[in-house]
Amino acid sequence: MSELKKRTFDCINADIDKDSNVCQESVTFIIPYLQRAYKWKEKQAKQMLEDFSEFLKQEKTYYCMQPLAVVKTEDNKYELLDGQQRLTTLLILWRILFEDNKENTFYPYIFEYERDSSESNTLLNRYSFITESDEIKKGEHRNIDEYYMSKVYGAIKQYFIDNSDNQKEDFKKLLKGEGKHILFLWYEVNEEEKHTTFANLNSGKIELTCSELIKAILLSDDNKESSDNNGLPDKSLVAAQYAEMEEAFNDDRLWYMLQTDEPLYNGSRMDLLFNMVLNISQKTYEADPKSAFYEVYTEKKVDLSKFWKDCRAYFVRIMDLYKNPYTYHYIGYLTYIEDNNKIDDWVKAYKELGLKGCIEQMKSKVRGSISGLDDLEKITYSNTSKTTLRKIFILHNIQTILIHYEAIKTGNLGLRFSYEQFPFELLYSQKWDIEHIASLTDNPLTKQKDREDWIASAKADYPEIFAQRPELNNEIDLFEKDSKTEKFTHIYNEIVGSAESNSPQNKDGLGNLVLLDRHTNRSYHNSLYKRKRKIILAASNIDNQNKEYQVTYIPRCTLNVFLKTYNTGLDVKLGEWTQDDYDKYLGDLKEKLEQI
């Protein structure tokens, strides 16, 4: 079973939470042959020194470095799976700081390189090269490890030349653990896990995310109920609750209500919860995705019982917001338009104002997002950004869902009210277009194959036009012989004019536009309304008997347009989008948005 401990550079052979009285014995790290060579460059070494320098100005006690992954082979001897680069650089730093002090020959740990035993030039091993050779000072080397060690040695020497002597003394105190400490998160795995762990660490699939490290603390054997209530009394319950929460966040429907993208640096979605509970800002998280873990494990000695209760309370409130149709849709909408809505603000609003007050606050913000769009009749495809148009159509869909939910709820049917959810996750996993319902006559096709396909579909969909106007067949025959653009444009305009003679006057207006996924939209190829309707009904699986079209999600209001739901008159024309359809659709859009 893997264990997570913490050890300091100055006392690396002892878990500081247990026993700090055995710091005089050196730990030996075995660097296995399969480990990659030491390859830190001057820039990385200088960055580490600058981080130390910044830390020394702060009030914190521990500077927490990335985890070390080790396998214990015997007392004070470990095979090092991950951490060679950091430990090597610190050893070089130790030598530079203390090499003028002849009495200080003690190093905090020793390296044994398996590669040394397989090479012929082993008169000087790599550990000796770091700790005592003159070659490292001169920049001389025999292998790639020594090349980079020499470069880093020179960079660190130059860093202290460029800075004050006081800083060098502060660094000495830091490495010796006088007042402040460099802390390692010590991840100890057993022999059976070694190869899997090494493979993960070296393939970029390390599982030691911030959330995994916090989980390790919560479920650690050291975490027992104590008199100060710092422990958790029932680890099996915590494990079950953690699994429940993790599974919930892995549901894309919930996640994309809250966020627009996956966590940073292959992190866990649970990071979001821990960041909220510990007030870790997005900026802090971006700078260091393990900030929440450090907060729990190093500086504050967090009361784990209270911490976990807070996590559960946040999670329960998030699930409440997810399960309520109003908060789900308004949060999801705001997250989408704001490119990551601050969910923690809504959790706090829910706690302070209650559900009703929280919903009213959300409505106010949603209304503000479309302020200035009072005259929807003046909005056109040409004069309005696609971002604004998407806002309008997403809100129309949301309001349609919510008003239907309210009608069912107040109908007193004795149902347990489930509700339709707008799938916000699809806004991120698919591309979306704003599509014209009735075709634009001034948008003819340019490719010969598309032109021929369009004519073929028009003949199939509108046989009555060709029966009434046989001359069109003659014009098509001539076009097929010479493929001239002007002939196709004439045929196109004639067919569109006949097929959509009752179409809206303003084909660029809001009443002639819908939200549609790009894949379905691009399958249109400038089709006329009848063909568009056929494709939409097939894509929504209402009429797809021959499996001719790929089934996908068609937004509710887009489907309503092609089902002619908005026009309830007795003379509805199913094969054409008319001015009457336009007006009824635009009227419904206005009415729904006004009810927010």
Side-chain angles (χ1 to χ4, degrees):
M1 185 74 178
S2 304
E3 287 188 84
L4 186 67
K5 304 174 181 177
K6 54 182 178 180
R7 300 187 173 188
T8 57
F9 175 80
D10 52 284
C11 190
I12 207 164
N13 65 327
D15 185 344
I16 66 172
D17 283 335
K18 287 186 176 180
D19 188 357
S20 58
N21 298 319
V22 288
C23 298
Q24 298 308 309
E25 301 176 31
S26 290
V27 167
T28 297
F29 290 109
I30 301 168
I31 312 297
Y33 187 80
L34 46 72
Q35 273 274 21
R36 62 187 182 273
Y38 176 75
K39 285 193 175 180
W40 263 29
K41 298 179 180 179
E42 298 98 312
K43 181 179 179 180
Q44 290 162 297
K46 286 180 180 178
Q47 183 61 57
M48 186 176 78
L49 297 177
E50 288 169 1
D51 289 345
F52 287 164
S53 180
E54 187 63 30
F55 163 71
L56 288 168
K57 299 173 185 176
Q58 300 170 2
E59 295 181 0
K60 294 182 179 180
T61 304
Y62 294 103
Y63 177 89
C64 196
M65 300 196 79
Q66 292 292 311
L68 300 178
V70 300
V71 178
K72 188 173 184 178
T73 58
E74 54 186 274
D75 286 346
N76 285 322
K77 199 163 190 176
Y78 300 87
E79 187 172 348
L80 186 63
L81 301 181
D82 189 54
Q84 178 198 178
Q85 310 293 319
R86 283 157 274 148
L87 289 176
T88 302
T89 307
L90 285 168
L91 212 59
I92 294 171
L93 175 60
W94 180 278
R95 174 174 177 177
I96 290 171
L97 290 173
F98 298 107
E99 63 184 346
D100 294 334
N101 185 354
K102 303 301 181 184
E103 296 179 0
N104 196 333
T105 57
F106 171 79
Y107 281 87
Y109 45 85
I110 298 166
F111 282 147
E112 286 183 7
Y113 293 85
E114 288 184 350
R115 279 168 288 174
D116 286 338
S117 62
S118 65
E119 296 173 355
S120 57
N121 54 344
T122 56
L123 292 176
L124 185 69
N125 61 42
R126 287 168 173 80
Y127 177 71
S128 298
F129 181 83
I130 295 170
T131 58
E132 60 188 59
S133 74
D134 287 332
E135 283 83 352
I136 193 172
K137 299 179 181 180
K138 299 173 185 176
E140 298 175 2
H141 58 275
R142 299 162 300 167
N143 51 56
I144 193 67
D145 297 83
E146 293 180 2
Y147 170 78
Y148 283 107
M149 290 169 183
S150 297
K151 291 289 187 183
V152 166
Y153 180 94
I156 294 175
K157 287 285 285 187
Q158 188 61 46
Y159 178 86
F160 288 114
I161 291 172
D162 296 339
N163 289 277
S164 67
D165 291 337
N166 288 339
Q167 189 165 35
K168 192 170 184 179
E169 291 304 312
D170 289 340
F171 272 59
K172 285 182 181 181
K173 291 178 181 178
L174 175 61
L175 265 62
K176 289 168 70 176
E178 296 178 358
K180 291 177 177 282
H181 303 268
I182 297 170
L183 181 70
F184 288 105
L185 308 174
W186 184 275
Y187 191 69
E188 192 170 318
V189 301
N190 58 34
E191 184 70 25
E192 291 75 21
E193 296 176 296
K194 176 174 75 173
H195 295 293
T196 302
T197 302
F198 181 83
N200 286 339
L201 289 166
N202 287 276
S203 65
K205 298 177 182 176
I206 180 171
E207 295 179 0
L208 296 179
T209 63
C210 177
S211 297
E212 287 291 333
L213 290 166
I214 290 177
K215 180 181 178 182
I217 297 170
L218 295 168
L219 303 180
S220 168
D221 287 336
D222 294 334
N223 176 21
K224 297 175 181 177
E225 188 173 15
S226 58
S227 58
D228 62 1
N229 199 32
N230 189 53
L232 293 168
D234 189 345
K235 286 192 295 182
S236 62
L237 176 61
V238 172
Q241 290 173 335
Y242 190 101
E244 174 202 3
M245 294 156 72
E246 191 171 39
E247 183 179 358
F249 280 115
N250 283 336
D251 182 347
D252 285 346
R253 184 61 54 89
L254 169 64
W255 179 254
Y256 287 104
M257 175 190 90
L258 307 171
Q259 296 285 282
T260 64
D261 206 348
E262 293 291 347
L264 297 171
Y265 316 116
N266 297 316
S268 164
R269 290 181 176 183
M270 287 286 286
D271 288 359
L272 176 67
L273 178 66
F274 295 136
N275 287 344
M276 287 194 294
V277 172
L278 295 166
N279 292 314
I280 304 295
S281 69
Q282 181 68 14
K283 183 177 181 181
T284 300
Y285 179 63
E286 289 174 358
D288 188 347
K290 289 189 173 66
S291 296
F293 169 69
Y294 301 148
E295 193 81 6
V296 171
Y297 199 54
T298 58
E299 289 298 316
K300 292 188 175 180
K301 193 65 178 177
V302 165
D303 182 329
L304 293 179
S305 181
K306 181 180 182 305
F307 169 68
W308 189 243
K309 286 177 182 177
D310 289 344
C311 290
R312 289 295 296 171
Y314 261 84
F315 174 72
V316 168
R317 291 191 181 100
I318 288 172
M319 294 307 293
D320 284 348
L321 296 173
Y322 173 63
K323 291 174 182 177
N324 180 276
Y326 290 96
T327 53
Y328 167 79
H329 284 101
Y330 292 148
I331 290 174
Y333 167 79
L334 292 169
T335 296
Y336 177 72
I337 68 165
E338 294 178 358
D339 191 20
N340 276 335
N341 182 31
K342 291 184 178 179
I343 181 60
D344 48 334
D345 288 346
W346 293 120
V347 171
K348 291 170 184 174
Y350 174 35
K351 180 181 178 182
E352 294 169 4
L353 304 174
L355 187 60
K356 186 176 180 180
C358 185
I359 291 172
E360 287 305 315
Q361 196 171 90
M362 288 179 188
K363 281 186 175 182
S364 176
K365 194 164 186 179
V366 170
R367 285 193 293 268
S369 74
I370 55 170
S371 62
L373 300 179
D374 298 330
D375 195 350
L376 296 184
E377 292 183 356
K378 293 183 179 179
I379 292 178
T380 68
Y381 182 88
S382 303
N383 69 13
T384 309
S385 73
K386 303 304 174 288
T387 300
T388 298
L389 290 173
R390 284 193 191 94
K391 280 186 190 179
I392 292 171
F393 291 123
I394 290 170
L395 270 182
H396 187 210
N397 278 274
I398 286 172
Q399 285 300 105
T400 299
I401 290 169
L402 291 176
I403 289 169
H404 178 255
Y405 161 78
E406 199 63 41
I408 294 294
K409 180 181 174 182
T410 55
N412 197 24
L413 302 176
L415 299 174
R416 294 193 61 173
F417 302 113
S418 60
Y419 63 94
E420 179 185 351
Q421 291 177 311
F422 185 85
F424 292 105
E425 67 270 29
L426 294 184
L427 294 179
Y428 308 103
S429 62
Q430 298 179 181
K431 295 185 181 300
W432 294 82
D433 289 336
I434 305 299
E435 166 63 4
H436 289 82
I437 302 170
S439 301
L440 294 177
T441 53
D442 59 348
N443 191 23
L445 302 164
T446 57
K447 294 181 180 179
Q448 182 64 17
K449 179 68 166 58
D450 291 342
R451 291 170 173 176
E452 292 172 356
D453 288 346
W454 187 89
I455 290 173
S457 68
K459 292 177 77 172
D461 294 336
Y462 299 93
E464 67 277 10
I465 292 177
F466 293 88
Q468 295 168 3
R469 302 186 57 184
E471 72 275 9
L472 279 174
N473 289 307
N474 296 329
E475 293 180 28
I476 290 171
D477 290 339
L478 291 172
F479 164 71
E480 289 175 348
K481 290 178 181 179
D482 60 22
S483 304
K484 288 186 177 179
T485 298
E486 59 270 20
K487 286 185 179 178
F488 173 76
T489 302
H490 174 72
I491 294 167
Y492 179 90
N493 290 335
E494 288 295 309
I495 293 174
V496 171
S498 297
E500 300 188 345
S501 57
N502 297 306
S503 62
Q505 297 175 358
N506 181 13
K507 288 189 176 182
D508 215 26
L510 204 57
N512 193 46
L513 303 174
V514 289
L515 182 69
L516 191 63
D517 70 284
R518 184 165 297 178
H519 173 80
T520 305
N521 187 23
R522 297 300 162 89
S523 66
Y524 277 175
H525 291 293
N526 281 51
S527 296
L528 299 177
Y529 180 81
K530 270 189 181 181
R531 178 64 51 151
K532 290 180 180 180
R533 185 173 189 272
K534 179 180 180 180
I535 292 172
I536 291 294
L537 296 184
S540 64
N541 208 34
I542 290 176
D543 184 11
N544 195 27
Q545 295 178 1
N546 299 322
K547 307 298 181 186
E548 186 178 356
Y549 296 99
Q550 177 181 318
V551 175
T552 187
Y553 173 75
I554 304 297
R556 178 167 178 156
C557 294
T558 302
L559 186 58
N560 284 347
V561 160
F562 289 94
L563 288 173
K564 293 290 184 121
T565 302
Y566 298 109
N567 194 341
T568 58
L570 297 177
D571 58 345
V572 176
K573 295 180 173 62
L574 293 179
E576 184 178 2
W577 187 248
T578 67
Q579 183 66 46
D580 193 31
D581 294 322
Y582 180 107
D583 294 338
K584 297 289 177 49
Y585 171 48
L586 183 59
D588 186 83
L589 207 155
K590 288 179 182 178
E591 180 186 344
K592 294 290 194 298
L593 296 190
E594 286 171 358
Q595 291 184 48
I596 298 174

